[in-house]
Amino acid sequence: MKMTGERLWIAALGGVYEIGKNMYLLQYADDIIVIDCGSKFPDESLLGIDLIIPDISYLLSNTDKVKALVVTHGHEDHIGGIPYFLKQLNIPVYASRLTLGLIETKLKEHGLLRQTQLHCIDPDSTLNFGSIAITFFRTNHSIPDCLGIVFDTPEGTVVHTGDFKFDMTPVNKQYPDIHKMAAIGEKGVKFLLSESTNAERPGFTPSERLVGSHLEEAFHKAENRIFISTFASNVHRLQQIVDAAGHTGRKLALLGRSMVNVVGVAQELGYLNIPEGMLVEPAEAGKMERGRIAVLCTGSQGEPMAALSRLANSSHRQLEISEGDTVLLAANPIPGNERNVSRIVDNLYMLGARVIYGSRSELHVSGHGSQEELKLMLTLMKPEYFIPIHGEYRMLHHHSMLAEAVGVKNENIFILKNGDIVESNAGDVRQSGRITAGQIYVDGLGIGDIGNVVLRDRRQLSADGILITVITLSQNDGRILNDPDTISRGFVYVRNSDTLMEEINQLITSTLQKMSAADLGQWNIIKETIKETLGKFLYERTKRRPMILPIIIEV
Amino acid sequence: MKMTGERLWIAALGGVYEIGKNMYLLQYADDIIVIDCGSKFPDESLLGIDLIIPDISYLLSNTDKVKALVVTHGHEDHIGGIPYFLKQLNIPVYASRLTLGLIETKLKEHGLLRQTQLHCIDPDSTLNFGSIAITFFRTNHSIPDCLGIVFDTPEGTVVHTGDFKFDMTPVNKQYPDIHKMAAIGEKGVKFLLSESTNAERPGFTPSERLVGSHLEEAFHKAENRIFISTFASNVHRLQQIVDAAGHTGRKLALLGRSMVNVVGVAQELGYLNIPEGMLVEPAEAGKMERGRIAVLCTGSQGEPMAALSRLANSSHRQLEISEGDTVLLAANPIPGNERNVSRIVDNLYMLGARVIYGSRSELHVSGHGSQEELKLMLTLMKPEYFIPIHGEYRMLHHHSMLAEAVGVKNENIFILKNGDIVESNAGDVRQSGRITAGQIYVDGLGIGDIGNVVLRDRRQLSADGILITVITLSQNDGRILNDPDTISRGFVYVRNSDTLMEEINQLITSTLQKMSAADLGQWNIIKETIKETLGKFLYERTKRRPMILPIIIEV
């Protein structure tokens, strides 16, 4: 679809009907501004896939119009796709200082740092791209330096909240810009795009300081070593852990690459204040008095290769957990990770550790505003039109009900799918057409080379394995030269299945013998006949459906 | 290990360090009594496995001693393994009426009903097996007719609680036998085996009646059709749903095989009281006035093939959900099922349904006692020795702390692994040796034929697929007759990878050319060389590790 007249388009390339890979765009005439470019982790059905990123075809076919990528904050679901995006389209990136620091780490890994134009912004910055002027407001979230974005366009003001909660007692004293938000709303907001993560949750999300007080308590009670795991990017929480360590006279060791990375960036940029001499190397920590050390580690989601998992399995090279140590899990499991986290808790108890975990421990609060905060944002902004973003459908649905409850007209609320366009043309607003949007799978070095065929094959292989049978035909007369040679993997254990494999070979031989010379001349017919006959036989005998792969060799 | 003297053994064959496949045994001299024989669903790492059942090798090598299988209640994790067990060892089964009804359904499916000796017991029954006398007490749980078991042995009294909560206002008015439990405890309990599912949860689990009052409310508010999904086996809840339908003048339709089965058995045996004429066929329900029908369906755990999932996808053959219908999810997702359930909720909202779900809806209460109830059981029984059962390690750990808190000596608490034996010999109690215990995988018709090799292959196949290359050698001189023929599945999409496949074939050819005639004579060397060379090349090129399967054909 091509843009012809001068009208405003708003669309999501990722982030709605899902949690993850946030990417939104605004277009007025020839100016496209992109907001965020996140990645998403695959669910268990996407076998072997490492990462999912947004499909940016629309931007690639409008390269001359794409003016900037503006980033709200430094979480993976907002920055994880940036290197893949910039490799295809080198546009300037605008982000606040910490966000930029985290983006730089990624660009370095992908060898893109030198060629990228990075611009540091803050809540007071103003940007101008043709017909669109951009200002910002500060929000609170589980990472510092988060921005909401205000777009002034000929069709009116568009506000994108980024991720937010209203933490009135923020750890870093960066208070939310409530007065600014009120002024924006007072001036008039045509479109509000607001995040929906906690739209199902009543009430008001507690301040991050609540975690701080429980951390302090846990540190004071602990006698031997303390191991504490949390999201590396939650710099507020890291600061509170540093503070608790300081108050109880403990040194701090870091385990895990992302923890070392984030602490490095946050400390360098002044977002994390660690007293001189507090940080020690893991090897040194292992030699220190047990009551004098705290270990901050990755793996709070039960990731099998992360530090906490290795510690729980007693397979970490530098440190071990033993009787009387305390382990604090300062993170709730993200849906899908519950079992892995539970397994770690089990293992930690077996090692004799005291484990403090679960929602009752209050070592975690959400970074996203609950219903009262979403209503507060809606009330401050008083938008004429509302587009709930950043959430699965039920979250968008609940958020739209909240919007209606605070006075947005039902017909002015748009629940969009990725790719759906909301258009404003001389004040006439409606949903109008689609641009390309989708999921691109990253698997190893391959980007987008894994599609449904490969995934369907992986699913079949994973459930019932594969049975390969090689049939050798004579080049001269099409005669079968050999007994079939059949091999299976992931189907049955061969030692248990000698008779079965023999029966399979006999069945193939007799099937081939029954075929006419004409059919034997057509390889497709041979393959289909073998697949069908063998498939039926195997299902009857085993109630399994392995992939059957006849290979014909002509010699 | 053989049993020589006359001593009491207590062991778990399943159910500890896990949730699922409960199976415990008591042995005194030549009398073995088995308690429960459950199954367990595989986690996502056990690709393609349908079910897990306990390893009963120990019982099979002591067939003459196994006197009876006594079953505490009719949940899958207590009865799901029975058909597999009885196929190998035909022993009498003792269970209460509803439990027996559910076991009979299973035995019918496996063609075992006629040959099995089934004995109906109730809380007042007494059984005698040589040196062991057995009595029972009634407990409450999320299915009727649950029993705790008391074993009188020459080494003292052993109590096995089965699954329980203390519901003082049970829906079916089968009150827990508290006075009997008190009398048992007063007489003296040597060993208590008590279930640990909710040992991490403080407080007291609410009565099932709480759900009833919320169901009534939801039924009164609903205008169009009501769809309600819960565990089929929760007959108490089914009764409350029937009652709510009755009070609001709705007919009831049943969807899903297990719902139809359980309702059939429970109704026939008098555990479920459905007014004459209330049940209607789904096809008929589809034609009725929308405000006059409620549909009770399976699939509360998001099972993709179950009724609720089909309804949510608009792919059910008989009924559809539309704007203004109400869907009640009267079950919490079991850990691991959250994503599937969320997906269904999303789909239901997209259909325009009102959806009532999640813990805040209070349409579900646990069937397991929380910490105060576990302490009440411990207090009533006053055991000298305590063995927490039915739980993952952290639950057993918390339960043992509760036992200590109410006065059981720390050294008298045994946290057992499956197979660990607690022995009592003339009053001398200690943990002593092991019997065989483990997981047997059921995959299709195969029982125990899938082991670690097959699973490891399935894992590799699922992540990166397979690459098969056929090499044809001359029978006469070992010469290579053909270009290699290479096929991949689940690795890369072929249309994207023509060059890659060509490079692979060239690499194989050049690798073979470089090999000495002597090496070419040894197929293992050819295969290993190809695997290594190709594996390295593919990892460098794709960062993937497909299974590489060279097949050598001699013609």
Side-chain angles (χ1 to χ4, degrees):
Chain A
M1 195 176 295
K2 287 234 168 176
M3 177 126 191
T4 50
E6 300 207 341
R7 47 198 181 182
L8 176 70
W9 277 9
I10 301 172
L13 289 178
V16 291
Y17 280 64
E18 67 183 336
I19 285 283
K21 71 169 174 64
N22 287 282
M23 188 169 197
Y24 306 91
L25 70 82
L26 246 79
Q27 176 167 8
Y28 186 84
D30 286 345
D31 302 313
I32 298 177
I33 309 295
V34 181
I35 305 151
D36 294 342
C37 180
S39 60
K40 176 172 145 177
F41 288 109
D43 70 25
E44 60 287 354
S45 72
L46 297 175
L47 297 167
I49 302 298
D50 299 323
L51 208 62
I52 303 171
I53 54 175
D55 184 332
I56 56 166
S57 311
Y58 177 73
L59 302 175
L60 294 179
S61 53
N62 289 278
T63 49
D64 52 322
K65 296 182 185 152
V66 184
K67 296 299 180 316
L69 168 64
V70 188
V71 183
T72 59
H73 65 287
H75 277 154
E76 287 300 314
D77 56 334
H78 296 259
I79 69 170
I82 291 180
Y84 305 95
F85 180 24
L86 293 183
K87 266 178 208 167
Q88 298 182 267
L89 188 57
N90 186 10
I91 53 162
V93 179
Y94 297 81
S96 55
R97 222 152 56 90
L98 179 64
T99 311
L100 224 46
L102 295 168
I103 293 172
E104 280 174 4
T105 310
K106 282 190 180 298
L107 296 180
K108 245 180 243 167
E109 281 169 17
H110 283 81
L112 292 169
L113 188 54
R114 289 178 52 165
Q115 71 198 65
T116 308
Q117 307 162 52
L118 296 171
H119 301 277
C120 190
I121 52 174
D122 65 36
D124 298 322
S125 299
T126 306
L127 306 176
N128 281 290
F129 299 102
S131 50
I132 303 174
I134 301 182
T135 54
F136 302 91
F137 56 94
R138 179 188 284 148
T139 63
N140 305 114
H141 186 41
S142 45
I143 187 169
D145 255 16
C146 293
L147 296 174
I149 314 180
V150 185
F151 300 87
D152 264 311
T153 81
E155 290 288 333
T157 298
V158 181
V159 173
H160 183 297
T161 62
D163 291 8
F164 72 94
K165 64 194 281 191
F166 283 97
D167 191 338
M168 315 296 188
T169 55
V171 172
N172 62 355
K173 299 199 177 162
Q174 288 194 343
Y175 297 92
D177 273 339
I178 292 196
H179 303 94
K180 202 166 180 180
M181 296 181 213
I184 295 161
E186 197 57 32
K187 230 180 110 193
V189 172
K190 182 100 172 194
F191 293 98
L192 174 66
L193 286 70
S194 181
E195 71 118 327
S196 313
T197 317
N198 277 347
E200 296 170 286
R201 203 178 289 184
F204 211 99
T205 302
S207 168
E208 177 66 27
R209 282 202 192 260
L210 182 78
V211 174
S213 66
H214 288 100
L215 283 171
E216 289 280 343
E217 205 186 312
F219 268 66
H220 277 285
K221 278 190 191 160
E223 290 177 354
N224 291 359
R225 280 182 188 156
I226 296 176
F227 292 83
I228 178 161
S229 187
T230 192
F231 300 103
S233 61
N234 195 330
V235 176
H236 307 308
R237 197 160 298 161
L238 303 188
Q239 184 64 59
Q240 298 197 107
I241 292 165
V242 167
D243 295 346
H247 297 156
T248 51
R250 288 178 185 260
K251 302 277 186 188
L252 196 64
L254 307 176
L255 294 186
R257 195 170 67 105
S258 66
M259 193 61 81
V260 172
N261 277 350
V262 173
V263 168
V265 171
Q267 202 182 7
E268 191 189 315
L269 299 180
Y271 289 87
L272 188 58
N273 180 16
I274 305 182
E276 192 71 34
M278 178 185 267
L279 285 183
V280 296
E281 289 299 316
E284 192 184 337
K287 293 179 209 141
M288 289 175 61
E289 198 189 319
R290 297 187 89 84
R292 289 269 157 255
I293 185 77
V295 180
L296 184 52
C297 55
T298 54
S300 66
Q301 293 303 309
E303 303 91 330
M305 305 306 287
L308 186 63
S309 206
R310 291 178 192 273
L311 288 164
N313 296 331
S314 304
S315 65
H316 196 276
R317 279 175 306 130
Q318 293 160 310
L319 286 166
E320 95 294 343
I321 294 178
S322 56
E323 188 82 35
D325 289 346
T326 299
V327 182
L328 309 175
L329 291 188
N332 285 0
I334 292 167
N337 296 339
E338 293 85 353
R339 285 192 196 174
N340 281 346
V341 173
S342 296
R343 226 166 277 151
I344 285 182
V345 173
D346 284 340
N347 290 338
L348 293 170
Y349 274 126
M350 288 182 220
L351 295 174
R354 280 176 63 225
V355 193
I356 307 182
Y357 65 101
S359 58
R360 273 182 292 269
S361 72
E362 302 193 88
L363 289 178
H364 177 73
V365 296
S366 174
H368 300 275
S370 302
Q371 290 179 350
E372 295 307 320
E373 290 155 281
L374 300 181
K375 281 153 67 181
L376 178 54
M377 180 64 85
L378 280 154
T379 302
L380 286 166
M381 293 297 173
K382 306 189 287 182
E384 193 179 343
Y385 294 90
F386 177 60
I387 303 172
I389 57 168
H390 199 291
E392 297 180 3
Y393 184 81
R394 63 193 181 284
M395 304 165 188
L396 307 178
H397 172 84
H398 277 96
H399 203 175
S400 69
M401 294 203 301
L402 297 175
E404 238 185 292
V406 303
V408 182
K409 283 185 203 152
N410 175 283
E411 62 270 26
N412 286 6
I413 299 173
F414 297 96
I415 298 188
L416 301 184
K417 288 200 176 72
N418 291 322
D420 286 345
I421 301 164
V422 169
E423 177 181 301
S424 178
N425 190 341
D428 177 28
V429 174
R430 60 203 176 83
Q431 202 178 318
S432 143
R434 287 181 54 74
I435 55 177
T436 303
Q439 325 222 57
I440 303 293
Y441 302 139
V442 179
D443 179 6
L445 295 181
I447 299 165
D449 65 338
I450 301 290
N452 289 332
V453 175
V454 174
L455 284 171
R456 198 193 52 205
D457 285 350
R458 286 185 184 173
R459 253 168 244 142
Q460 189 180 4
L461 290 168
S462 77
D464 291 316
I466 189 169
L467 198 116
I468 302 143
T469 187
V470 183
I471 299 158
T472 323
L473 299 180
S474 157
Q475 225 165 1
N476 304 326
D477 54 7
R479 197 168 40 88
I480 298 156
L481 291 178
N482 254 11
D483 282 341
D485 202 332
T486 305
I487 294 171
S488 82
R489 286 290 184 276
F491 170 51
V492 285
Y493 184 54
V494 179
R495 232 182 286 169
N496 293 336
S497 54
D498 286 352
T499 6
L500 183 65
M501 294 307 273
E502 210 165 289
E503 284 176 75
I504 289 169
N505 279 332
Q506 280 167 8
L507 179 67
I508 297 168
T509 306
S510 69
T511 305
L512 291 172
Q513 281 165 353
K514 277 180 221 155
M515 287 179 72
S516 69
D519 282 352
L520 280 176
Q522 291 177 272
W523 289 14
N524 274 341
I525 295 184
I526 301 180
K527 286 183 185 176
E528 282 314 309
T529 310
I530 297 282
K531 275 190 202 176
E532 204 187 305
T533 316
L534 204 52
K536 215 175 130 193
F537 168 76
L538 292 177
Y539 187 71
E540 273 166 17
R541 280 292 301 274
T542 65
K543 289 270 180 294
R544 295 177 200 166
R545 299 190 187 282
M547 180 182 285
I548 297 171
L549 197 63
I551 300 178
I552 300 174
I553 302 287
E554 215 174 33
V555 184
Chain B
M1 194 178 292
K2 288 235 169 178
M3 175 127 192
T4 51
E6 300 206 342
R7 49 198 180 181
L8 175 70
W9 276 9
I10 300 171
L13 290 178
V16 292
Y17 280 63
E18 67 184 336
I19 286 282
K21 72 169 173 66
N22 288 281
M23 190 171 196
Y24 305 91
L25 69 83
L26 245 80
Q27 176 167 10
Y28 185 83
D30 285 345
D31 302 313
I32 298 178
I33 309 296
V34 181
I35 305 152
D36 293 342
C37 179
S39 59
K40 177 173 145 176
F41 288 109
D43 69 26
E44 60 286 356
S45 72
L46 297 176
L47 296 168
I49 301 298
D50 300 321
L51 207 64
I52 304 171
I53 53 176
D55 184 334
I56 55 166
S57 309
Y58 177 73
L59 302 175
L60 294 179
S61 53
N62 289 276
T63 48
D64 52 322
K65 296 182 186 152
V66 184
K67 295 300 181 317
L69 168 63
V70 187
V71 184
T72 59
H73 65 286
H75 277 154
E76 287 299 314
D77 57 332
H78 296 259
I79 69 170
I82 291 180
Y84 305 95
F85 180 24
L86 293 183
K87 266 177 209 167
Q88 298 183 268
L89 188 58
N90 185 9
I91 53 161
V93 179
Y94 297 82
S96 54
R97 222 152 56 91
L98 179 64
T99 311
L100 224 47
L102 295 167
I103 293 172
E104 279 173 7
T105 310
K106 282 189 180 299
L107 295 181
K108 247 180 245 168
E109 281 169 18
H110 283 81
L112 291 169
L113 188 54
R114 288 177 55 162
Q115 71 197 65
T116 307
Q117 308 162 54
L118 296 171
H119 301 277
C120 188
I121 52 174
D122 65 35
D124 298 322
S125 299
T126 306
L127 305 175
N128 280 289
F129 299 103
S131 51
I132 303 175
I134 301 182
T135 54
F136 302 91
F137 56 93
R138 178 187 286 146
T139 63
N140 306 114
H141 185 42
S142 44
I143 188 171
D145 256 16
C146 293
L147 297 174
I149 313 180
V150 185
F151 300 87
D152 263 311
T153 81
E155 290 287 336
T157 297
V158 181
V159 172
H160 183 296
T161 62
D163 290 8
F164 72 95
K165 66 194 282 190
F166 283 97
D167 191 337
M168 314 296 188
T169 55
V171 172
N172 62 356
K173 300 199 175 159
Q174 289 195 343
Y175 296 91
D177 273 339
I178 293 197
H179 303 94
K180 202 165 178 180
M181 296 181 211
I184 294 161
E186 196 57 33
K187 229 179 111 191
V189 171
K190 184 100 172 194
F191 293 97
L192 173 66
L193 285 70
S194 181
E195 72 116 328
S196 312
T197 316
N198 275 347
E200 295 170 286
R201 202 179 290 184
F204 210 100
T205 302
S207 168
E208 176 66 27
R209 281 200 193 262
L210 182 76
V211 174
S213 66
H214 288 99
L215 282 171
E216 289 280 345
E217 205 185 312
F219 267 67
H220 276 286
K221 277 190 194 160
E223 289 175 355
N224 291 359
R225 280 183 188 157
I226 298 176
F227 292 83
I228 177 162
S229 187
T230 191
F231 300 103
S233 62
N234 195 330
V235 176
H236 306 309
R237 197 161 298 162
L238 302 189
Q239 184 64 60
Q240 298 197 107
I241 291 166
V242 167
D243 295 347
H247 297 155
T248 51
R250 287 178 186 260
K251 302 276 185 190
L252 196 64
L254 307 176
L255 294 186
R257 196 170 64 105
S258 66
M259 194 60 82
V260 173
N261 278 349
V262 173
V263 168
V265 172
Q267 202 182 5
E268 190 189 317
L269 298 179
Y271 289 87
L272 189 57
N273 180 15
I274 305 183
E276 193 69 32
M278 178 185 267
L279 285 183
V280 295
E281 288 300 315
E284 194 185 336
K287 293 178 211 145
M288 289 174 64
E289 197 189 319
R290 296 187 90 83
R292 290 268 158 254
I293 186 76
V295 180
L296 182 53
C297 55
T298 53
S300 65
Q301 293 303 308
E303 302 91 331
M305 305 305 287
L308 185 64
S309 207
R310 290 180 192 273
L311 288 165
N313 296 332
S314 303
S315 66
H316 196 277
R317 280 176 305 131
Q318 294 160 309
L319 286 166
E320 95 294 344
I321 294 178
S322 57
E323 189 81 33
D325 289 345
T326 300
V327 183
L328 310 175
L329 291 187
N332 285 0
I334 292 166
N337 296 340
E338 293 86 352
R339 284 192 197 175
N340 281 346
V341 173
S342 296
R343 227 166 279 152
I344 285 182
V345 173
D346 285 339
N347 289 338
L348 292 170
Y349 274 126
M350 288 182 221
L351 294 175
R354 282 177 61 227
V355 193
I356 308 183
Y357 65 101
S359 56
R360 272 182 293 267
S361 71
E362 301 194 89
L363 289 179
H364 177 73
V365 296
S366 174
H368 300 275
S370 301
Q371 289 179 350
E372 294 307 320
E373 290 155 282
L374 300 180
K375 281 154 67 183
L376 178 54
M377 181 63 85
L378 281 155
T379 301
L380 285 166
M381 293 296 173
K382 306 189 288 185
E384 193 178 343
Y385 294 90
F386 176 61
I387 304 173
I389 58 169
H390 199 290
E392 297 181 3
Y393 184 81
R394 64 193 181 283
M395 303 165 189
L396 307 178
H397 172 85
H398 276 97
H399 203 176
S400 69
M401 294 204 301
L402 297 174
E404 239 185 292
V406 302
V408 182
K409 283 186 202 153
N410 175 282
E411 62 270 26
N412 286 7
I413 299 173
F414 297 96
I415 298 188
L416 301 183
K417 287 199 176 73
N418 291 321
D420 284 346
I421 300 163
V422 169
E423 177 180 302
S424 177
N425 190 341
D428 178 27
V429 174
R430 59 201 176 85
Q431 202 180 320
S432 144
R434 285 182 54 75
I435 56 177
T436 303
Q439 325 222 58
I440 303 293
Y441 301 139
V442 179
D443 179 5
L445 295 180
I447 299 165
D449 65 336
I450 301 291
N452 289 332
V453 175
V454 174
L455 284 171
R456 197 193 54 207
D457 284 351
R458 287 186 184 172
R459 253 168 245 141
Q460 189 180 2
L461 291 168
S462 76
D464 291 317
I466 188 167
L467 198 117
I468 303 144
T469 186
V470 183
I471 299 158
T472 322
L473 299 179
S474 157
Q475 224 165 5
N476 304 327
D477 54 7
R479 198 169 39 91
I480 298 157
L481 291 179
N482 255 11
D483 281 343
D485 200 334
T486 305
I487 294 172
S488 82
R489 285 291 183 277
F491 169 52
V492 284
Y493 184 54
V494 179
R495 232 182 287 168
N496 292 337
S497 54
D498 286 352
T499 6
L500 182 64
M501 295 305 275
E502 208 165 290
E503 285 177 76
I504 289 169
N505 279 332
Q506 280 167 7
L507 180 65
I508 296 169
T509 307
S510 69
T511 306
L512 291 172
Q513 281 165 353
K514 279 181 218 152
M515 288 179 71
S516 69
D519 281 352
L520 280 176
Q522 290 177 273
W523 288 14
N524 274 342
I525 293 184
I526 299 180
K527 286 182 183 177
E528 283 314 307
T529 310
I530 297 283
K531 275 190 203 178
E532 204 187 304
T533 315
L534 203 51
K536 215 176 131 191
F537 168 76
L538 291 177
Y539 188 71
E540 273 167 17
R541 279 291 302 273
T542 66
K543 288 273 180 293
R544 297 177 200 166
R545 298 190 188 283
M547 180 182 285
I548 297 171
L549 195 64
I551 300 179
I552 299 173
I553 302 286
E554 214 175 32
V555 183

